[in-house]
Amino acid sequence: MILVCFAFFKLGFLDSSTRTHLCLLASAFGSSKTQPIPDKNSYFDFLRQGETVSSRCDEVQGLIKRGCNMTFIENPLGQQDIVQNKSVTNRSKGLVALKPEEITQVQPQKVNLTLRSGEPQSFELKFKRAEDYPIDLYYLMDLSYSMKDDLENVKNLGTSLMEEMQKITSDFRIGFGSFVEKTVMPYISTTPAKLLNPCTGDQNCTSPFSYKNVLPLTSDGNMFNNLVGVQQISGNLDSPEGGFDAIMQVAVCGEQIGWRNVTRLLVFSTDAGFHFAGDGKLGGIVLPNDGKCHLENNVYTMSHYYDYPSIAHLVQKLSDNNIQTIFAVTGDFQPVYQVSSHQPLSVPFEEINLRFKLNETTNNHKLMLYILRRNMFSFICTSFSTVFLQPQVHFNISITSKGCPNNGKPEIIKVRPLGFTEEVEITLNFICECDCHHQRIENSPDCHFGNGTYECGACRCKDGRVGRKCECSSNDVATEDMDRTCRKDNGTDICSNNGECVCGTCECKTRENPEERYSGQFCECDNFNCDRSGNKLCGGHGKCVCRKCVCDPMWNGTACDCSLDQSTCLAKNKQICNGRGRCECGTCKCDDPKFQGSTCEMCPTCPGVCAEHKDCVECRAFGTGEKKETCQKECSYFTLFKVKSREKLPQPNDGAYPIGHCKERDANDCWMYYTYSVTNNTENVVYVLEEPDCPTGPDIIPIVAGVVAGIVLIGLALLLIWKLLMIIHDRREFAKFEKEKMNAKWDTGENPIYKSAVTTVVNPKYEGK
């Protein structure tokens, strides 16, 4: 927390280290001008009994709230001063040539900042790339055997690069170098024949080498074209190349390469990956790269002695020498070389980003530097055919001090764009003392007959003296007589274990949170151990005084969480809780548990509740019903939950509040099952069965089949019954006939009209034989 010191206070003991800390914990409020010292008697009562002098440190509003007048508050502020502010150079190509030191691209150049701990100081930095600014470009080419297919394209790229860069600036120099690999096994074959010609068959290749500075930086474009055009490939055994060795030598061998203090670009072209620190162990090379120049006759001679450099090592050397690296690689290896997102080693081939570097900083000062990044003024297209210049860009630089340096002396840091020599020099001055410190009164009579220095409203005692007014000798502090006066009710705890007994008076401990304080004659009181409500001390509606809440008006309770305002219990009919309850702490307590709501207006289990909410439940749950068009507007007063079965609906005994079960028909004549309840937080909750219970329609085919089958069965049954009855009837008639036949007595006389059907004829010749 950022605090402000209450100065000009007479009472209390405050040594120089404490004073420095208190003054640094200050906020940017009020005036930094030294105020005249007011009458000392007017502020004797600022500190409560037992409070330490450090309690005078607080936020401005906190001090004013505790009764401190603004004229008593010491509040120094940081400031800034632009010492050198030369405008950026505006010129066009073709005008009078200027030397690099005569061109200004960064504004301002020198700034003085006065920093107060925790208070940021910001200023705007402008950058504009001067047109026709000198450029040094070094072209580093991979000549390993894998580059055979791309060699002609790479040669043409170098030539095109030189031609396009000459269109950007008239002061342009270009150099050329090549690399292959370390000249030891297993990177190359060390047989004599392979050392002369590492290629197979009839191919004529140059001898392997680590790095050659073929052409130092020169403005002779013809020489560059000739040397690039005659390059021959070499060969190695493994796929990764030794390009990092070459980059390191290009970075550190400034004299041999010919770098000037201008824009420095390094274009690195390859079609393979790279070796880095640790890979040298495969060839028995264990010494780490020393980051120094080892060129003899423009050839790197220590590749067999030193390991490859690490990425971080390359980052450091490239940054120290203001070199921006552009990787021109094949698409397969583009992700491998996109290390700029993790390390500022390179700039993407199609875009150059403006980065800033903090040259000097000290960890014990804990300086924080915030720099906003933007795209650079220009970017180079893939073919280097066009370079777009943008207007000047602006950066907001904010610096915050986390503390005071031990010696309190000014510090200097420098900020510069990566790849440029121009920089902003920032001198940091630190506010480590209050202004009132300069008005101290040595041997002041206010410090017990001159036993201390009165400064910033407190006594700084001489050696051997203690107490707020230096009234005691340090030899007498721990006597039993003095300690007795620091024990409450003759107890054993000195100052309630919350302070120290100094000169027979309790001086209470300070806490990490400056708003929390011990107080009282025996440090028995504090302002942070009161009851809490809603995770707030005294509910946020009162003050904690000696471990008890002193509530604000209209609040009551041990934690000041009970509101005496009854307006929240007033129903629409202007009755308190609808006449069904009483207002307690701003909340209605319903007399009958079946009534709920903020004013006891709802009864979830009363008749008519289900029908009242039916339309809203239907439109919310199923999107049907009379209110489906106005559902969102009229039916958002409850929270809806869906369940899969009726067994999962809340039951009346499940909760601490009444639950009403409802069964209503919807627009599709289906049954809806749901529950309606009001929680203790007056939240309306509805649980509804996710699928309504709809009656199924008749199945025609089974019905028709059943009817037909029934008719057939009934017909068959009737036929069988009729047949059975006929059989029974016939048998009865036959039996009756038989009976009557047996009982009949027939007449044996002949019927007079009966004529026999038999005619007997006798043969006259028959003799009876």
Side-chain angles (χ1 to χ4, degrees):
M1 180 174 291
I2 301 179
L3 305 176
V4 176
C5 278
F6 169 73
F8 309 120
F9 191 77
K10 179 179 178 181
L11 299 178
F13 169 78
L14 190 66
D15 61 19
S16 59
S17 62
T18 305
R19 182 188 65 254
T20 299
H21 175 68
L22 295 179
C23 290
L24 283 174
L25 293 178
S27 170
F29 296 99
S31 171
S32 63
K33 297 181 180 179
T34 303
Q35 305 289 344
I37 301 179
D39 181 16
K40 297 169 183 141
N41 294 325
S42 64
Y43 41 73
F44 278 178
D45 297 331
F46 177 74
L47 290 179
R48 296 179 180 177
Q49 190 173 22
E51 287 187 334
T52 61
V53 178
S54 61
S55 299
R56 301 180 307 164
C57 246
D58 203 345
E59 293 179 337
V60 169
Q61 298 303 323
L63 292 175
I64 295 176
K65 189 176 181 180
R66 293 172 59 194
C68 176
N69 192 284
M70 278 295 297
T71 58
F72 298 171
I73 296 178
E74 181 76 7
N75 188 26
L77 300 177
Q79 58 185 2
Q80 55 182 265
D81 181 28
I82 306 298
V83 179
Q84 186 175 346
N85 195 25
K86 186 179 178 181
S87 299
V88 293
T89 302
N90 291 308
R91 68 163 189 163
S92 300
K93 185 177 179 181
L95 298 180
V96 179
L98 296 176
K99 297 180 180 179
E101 57 270 16
E102 296 175 342
I103 298 176
T104 302
Q105 300 181 105
V106 176
Q107 180 188 359
Q109 293 78 42
K110 288 187 179 181
V111 178
N112 284 345
L113 298 181
T114 301
L115 299 178
R116 176 181 180 175
S117 180
E119 178 190 29
Q121 289 293 327
S122 303
F123 66 93
E124 185 180 71
L125 184 146
K126 299 178 183 178
F127 180 87
K128 182 178 182 180
R129 169 66 184 269
E131 191 172 351
D132 202 29
Y133 189 75
I135 297 177
D136 284 353
L137 187 147
Y138 193 84
Y139 186 52
L140 189 58
M141 182 192 301
D142 179 9
L143 289 184
S144 62
Y145 187 77
S146 61
M147 287 287 289
K148 177 183 178 182
D149 298 337
D150 302 317
L151 184 59
E152 291 302 322
N153 292 333
V154 172
K155 291 179 180 180
N156 296 333
L157 177 61
T159 303
S160 301
L161 178 62
M162 184 196 68
E163 293 174 353
E164 294 299 330
M165 294 302 288
Q166 286 177 341
K167 297 177 183 179
I168 301 172
T169 175
S170 58
D171 189 358
F172 171 69
R173 298 200 312 167
I174 190 168
F176 172 71
S178 57
F179 66 91
V180 180
E181 186 56 276
K182 289 183 179 296
T183 55
V184 296
M185 283 288 290
Y187 312 109
I188 67 168
S189 175
T190 56
T191 60
K194 291 295 183 181
L195 289 176
L196 294 176
N197 183 2
C199 300
T200 59
D202 298 333
Q203 299 181 79
N204 186 20
C205 299
T206 187
S207 300
F209 58 90
S210 177
Y211 161 67
K212 288 182 181 180
N213 178 24
V214 180
L215 177 65
L217 292 168
T218 178
S219 57
D220 190 346
N222 294 327
M223 182 181 298
F224 174 82
N225 291 334
N226 293 335
L227 289 175
V228 171
V230 299
Q231 295 303 308
Q232 288 184 317
I233 60 172
S234 184
N236 60 322
L237 296 180
D238 60 343
S239 177
E241 315 296 358
F244 277 14
D245 273 342
I247 294 177
M248 177 63 75
Q249 294 303 302
V250 172
V252 299
C253 298
E255 294 184 3
Q256 291 86 338
I257 302 299
W259 293 116
R260 298 178 295 172
N261 286 330
V262 296
T263 300
R264 299 176 176 180
L265 299 178
L266 170 62
V267 178
F268 180 91
S269 66
T270 184
D271 66 342
F274 52 81
H275 283 295
F276 52 89
D279 288 353
K281 293 180 180 179
L282 296 174
I285 303 173
V286 296
L287 288 178
N289 195 287
D290 63 351
K292 296 181 180 180
C293 181
H294 297 288
L295 291 184
E296 294 183 8
N297 296 324
N298 288 324
V299 177
Y300 180 38
T301 59
M302 301 297 288
S303 66
H304 64 287
Y305 192 75
Y306 290 114
D307 194 6
Y308 302 97
S310 65
I311 293 180
H313 199 183
L314 276 183
V315 169
Q316 177 189 356
K317 292 302 179 180
L318 290 170
S319 179
D320 290 344
N321 292 278
N322 293 326
I323 299 174
Q324 298 184 74
T325 308
I326 302 173
F327 288 116
V329 299
T330 56
D332 294 340
F333 287 92
Q334 185 176 356
V336 177
Y337 285 89
Q338 284 179 339
V339 294
S340 58
S341 58
H342 306 287
Q343 296 277 359
L345 170 63
S346 69
V347 183
F349 191 76
E350 66 277 0
E351 182 179 337
I352 301 177
N353 289 330
L354 183 60
R355 297 183 177 86
F356 278 82
K357 175 191 173 187
L358 179 64
N359 282 347
E360 299 180 9
T361 186
T362 312
N363 290 333
N364 61 344
H365 297 171
K366 297 180 181 178
L367 295 176
M368 299 170 63
L369 179 60
Y370 303 98
I371 299 177
L372 304 179
R373 292 188 177 183
R374 287 187 53 182
N375 287 339
M376 191 184 175
F377 50 90
S378 64
F379 66 91
I380 301 178
C381 296
T382 305
S383 64
F384 287 92
S385 60
T386 310
V387 174
F388 298 93
L389 294 177
Q390 296 181 354
Q392 66 184 16
V393 291
H394 300 260
F395 299 87
N396 183 44
I397 297 181
S398 179
I399 301 179
T400 303
S401 173
K402 287 288 187 80
C404 248
N406 295 330
N407 53 17
K409 296 180 180 180
E411 297 290 339
I412 297 177
I413 61 175
K414 295 179 180 180
V415 179
R416 61 180 171 85
L418 182 63
F420 296 84
T421 58
E422 296 182 56
E423 61 189 12
V424 181
E425 182 178 289
I426 305 174
T427 302
L428 303 179
N429 303 289
F430 302 92
I431 299 177
C432 298
E433 296 267 354
C434 291
D435 292 340
C436 61
H437 172 74
H438 303 292
Q439 299 179 0
R440 61 182 178 271
I441 302 175
E442 297 182 359
N443 303 318
S444 172
D446 296 308
C447 299
H448 198 71
F449 306 107
N451 285 320
T453 299
Y454 184 78
E455 61 181 21
C456 292
C459 286
R460 181 162 56 88
C461 300
K462 294 181 180 179
D463 293 340
R465 305 295 299 184
V466 293
R468 287 193 173 182
K469 296 183 180 181
C470 310
E471 66 271 23
C472 294
S473 170
S474 59
N475 297 327
D476 301 332
V477 170
T479 62
E480 183 65 26
D481 291 338
M482 289 189 177
D483 287 349
R484 185 180 300 113
T485 62
C486 295
R487 294 190 178 99
K488 183 180 180 180
D489 299 332
N490 244 357
T492 58
D493 294 336
I494 297 179
C495 299
S496 304
N497 290 328
N498 293 325
E500 297 179 355
C501 188
V502 180
C503 295
T505 303
C506 284
E507 288 194 358
C508 304
K509 297 177 182 178
T510 58
R511 292 177 61 84
E512 183 178 353
N513 186 348
E515 293 186 353
E516 298 178 352
R517 305 179 187 89
Y518 292 104
S519 61
Q521 180 181 356
F522 304 101
C523 301
E524 74 278 13
C525 295
D526 62 59
N527 65 346
F528 55 87
N529 272 325
C530 292
D531 291 339
R532 294 176 178 267
S533 177
N535 202 28
K536 293 183 179 179
L537 193 66
C538 297
H541 304 297
K543 298 179 181 178
C544 183
V545 179
C546 201
R547 302 187 178 182
K548 290 186 178 180
C549 286
V550 178
C551 300
D552 296 337
M554 299 302 294
W555 289 92
N556 202 353
T558 58
C560 299
D561 54 351
C562 181
S563 175
L564 301 180
D565 183 10
Q566 294 189 351
S567 61
T568 56
C569 298
L570 199 62
K572 294 180 180 180
N573 57 8
K574 305 302 180 182
Q575 288 185 334
I576 298 295
C577 302
N578 274 292
R580 300 166 179 164
R582 59 194 181 279
C583 188
E584 295 181 0
C585 298
T587 303
C588 282
K589 301 295 183 181
C590 303
D591 295 333
D592 191 335
K594 71 179 181 179
F595 290 100
Q596 296 178 350
S598 58
T599 57
C600 302
E601 76 279 7
M602 292 180 289
C603 180
T605 58
C606 293
V609 172
C610 294
E612 178 184 353
H613 303 288
K614 169 207 158 194
D615 291 336
C616 281
V617 173
E618 181 179 356
C619 76
R620 286 278 303 275
F622 311 112
T624 60
E626 297 179 359
K627 292 187 178 182
K628 65 179 181 179
E629 301 298 333
T630 60
C631 190
Q632 185 174 2
K633 180 180 179 181
E634 299 182 11
C635 301
S636 58
Y637 59 88
F638 60 83
T639 303
L640 182 71
F641 299 97
K642 293 184 178 182
V643 297
K644 293 184 177 298
S645 63
R646 293 177 60 182
E647 290 75 15
K648 294 186 178 180
L649 288 172
Q651 301 303 314
N653 298 326
D654 287 350
Y657 43 84
I659 299 174
H661 280 255
C662 301
K663 177 182 178 182
E664 296 289 336
R665 284 192 180 274
D666 62 8
N668 298 322
D669 204 27
C670 298
W671 289 107
M672 297 186 303
Y673 294 92
Y674 62 93
T675 64
Y676 181 82
S677 59
V678 182
T679 66
N680 295 332
N681 297 326
T682 68
E683 180 185 4
N684 301 320
V685 178
V686 171
Y687 284 84
V688 62
L689 189 64
E690 66 178 4
E691 293 293 339
D693 187 6
C694 297
T696 58
D699 194 345
I700 302 300
I701 295 177
I703 293 176
V704 172
V707 171
V708 172
I711 293 173
V712 172
L713 291 175
I714 291 173
L716 291 175
L718 292 174
L719 288 175
L720 290 174
I721 293 173
W722 177 80
K723 182 66 175 177
L724 179 62
L725 292 176
M726 292 303 295
I727 293 173
I728 295 174
H729 179 267
D730 290 345
R731 288 184 176 181
R732 285 180 178 177
E733 290 294 326
F734 182 76
K736 183 179 179 183
F737 172 75
E738 289 291 334
K739 183 177 180 181
E740 291 179 352
K741 179 181 178 182
M742 292 177 62
N743 294 329
K745 295 181 176 179
W746 298 99
D747 189 4
T748 58
E750 292 183 356
N751 190 352
I753 62 175
Y754 171 79
K755 288 182 179 182
S756 176
V758 178
T759 301
T760 302
V761 178
V762 177
N763 191 351
K765 292 183 176 184
Y766 177 66
E767 294 178 355
K769 291 183 179 179

